[in-house]
Amino acid sequence: MRLQCRYLTAPLPSRERGGGEGVKWSAPSVFSLKVVPLPTAGFSLLELVVVVALVAILMAVAVSKYLALAVEAERVMMESVLSSLRSAINMKMAEYIVEGRINDVRRLENSNPMDRLSQTPNNYAGELDSTETAGVPSGTWYFDRAERTLVYRAHNVNYFQTALAGPARARFRVRVLFQDRDGDRIFDAAKDRLEGVQLTPLEPYRWLSYE
């Protein structure tokens, strides 16, 4: 809208002073305000196309950023669990050594490392038989009783790479490292030299970055 202003004047009758020439005077000017609406116009086709293009670009950037953060968050959470498990099994090995039960270290071989944690992760499904693993949701840990392996099934499968066939997953197993001096492949503290305990992946894997 716009305001339109007009001046209105109202002359008064002439007055004479002492018979002299009449002197004319008028009242002060008065403003008159009138509201005049301006015509309104919508978006032009070009403006609409520009707005839609900008919104599409912003949405693409937001989705890209979200996916990158989601993949990185899953990778960090997986590696954090592995780090906690490795610390736990090494603490158990140290406990056996301090108590003079070095031969008991071999009990860690092929064991479930989740048993060493005081509290398991929320996404740990427990120990499962081979027939039960098919229904495990993505983003879940479980221990395969038959294979004696700890398994993580990836959620962002398009950004997880492994040579393992089937669902995108990584498998880990607890290994007792020692110098097998008698060649029987069984750790014996009286004959063999203990080198440590490791939670190792059975197949190589890697997370792909989102570009």
Side-chain angles (χ1 to χ4, degrees):
M1 295 184 179
R2 67 181 181 185
L3 298 179
Q4 188 178 64
C5 301
R6 296 179 178 177
Y7 289 101
L8 299 179
T9 58
L12 294 178
S14 301
R15 295 180 60 185
E16 295 183 357
R17 295 181 179 177
E21 185 179 356
V23 178
K24 294 182 179 181
W25 59 283
S26 61
S29 298
V30 179
F31 284 103
S32 174
L33 301 179
K34 183 179 181 182
V35 178
V36 180
L38 291 175
T40 59
F43 286 107
S44 68
L45 180 59
L46 178 59
E47 291 172 332
L48 186 60
V49 169
V50 171
V51 170
V52 171
L54 289 175
V55 171
I57 292 172
L58 292 175
M59 287 294 294
V61 172
V63 170
S64 174
K65 190 66 174 177
Y66 169 77
L67 287 176
L69 291 174
V71 172
E72 181 63 12
E74 184 178 9
R75 183 194 69 79
V76 170
M77 290 179 64
M78 174 185 171
E79 296 300 330
S80 176
V81 171
L82 289 173
S83 179
S84 297
L85 291 172
R86 289 182 174 117
S87 297
I89 61 177
N90 276 284
M91 288 178 64
K92 189 63 178 179
M93 179 189 68
E95 179 183 323
Y96 286 143
I97 294 174
V98 169
E99 294 176 353
R101 300 160 54 196
I102 301 180
N103 267 338
D104 285 346
V105 172
R106 62 189 176 191
R107 296 172 59 183
L108 298 174
E109 182 86 12
N110 300 330
S111 65
N112 182 359
M114 288 290 184
D115 291 340
R116 311 302 165 195
L117 297 179
S118 58
Q119 182 175 358
T120 57
N122 293 331
N123 59 340
Y124 174 58
E127 296 189 5
L128 305 177
D129 294 324
S130 298
T131 56
E132 301 174 302
T133 59
V136 174
S138 62
T140 301
W141 292 92
Y142 66 91
F143 186 78
D144 190 316
R145 289 196 188 101
E147 297 184 353
R148 307 305 298 172
T149 56
L150 181 67
V151 184
Y152 178 74
R153 184 162 293 183
H155 178 68
N156 292 285
V157 297
N158 294 329
Y159 306 98
F160 183 83
Q161 190 176 76
T162 178
L164 190 62
R169 66 197 189 279
R171 303 189 305 166
F172 304 87
R173 183 174 289 160
V174 178
R175 300 285 195 189
V176 176
L177 305 180
F178 61 95
Q179 291 183 1
D180 190 11
R181 293 172 177 171
D182 55 4
D184 62 355
R185 298 184 180 181
I186 299 175
F187 173 67
D188 185 347
K191 302 176 183 179
D192 304 321
R193 179 181 177 183
L194 179 65
E195 295 181 342
V197 180
Q198 286 187 350
L199 179 62
T200 58
L202 298 185
E203 298 86 16
Y205 69 90
R206 70 188 184 102
W207 289 94
L208 304 177
S209 60
Y210 183 86
E211 301 293 342

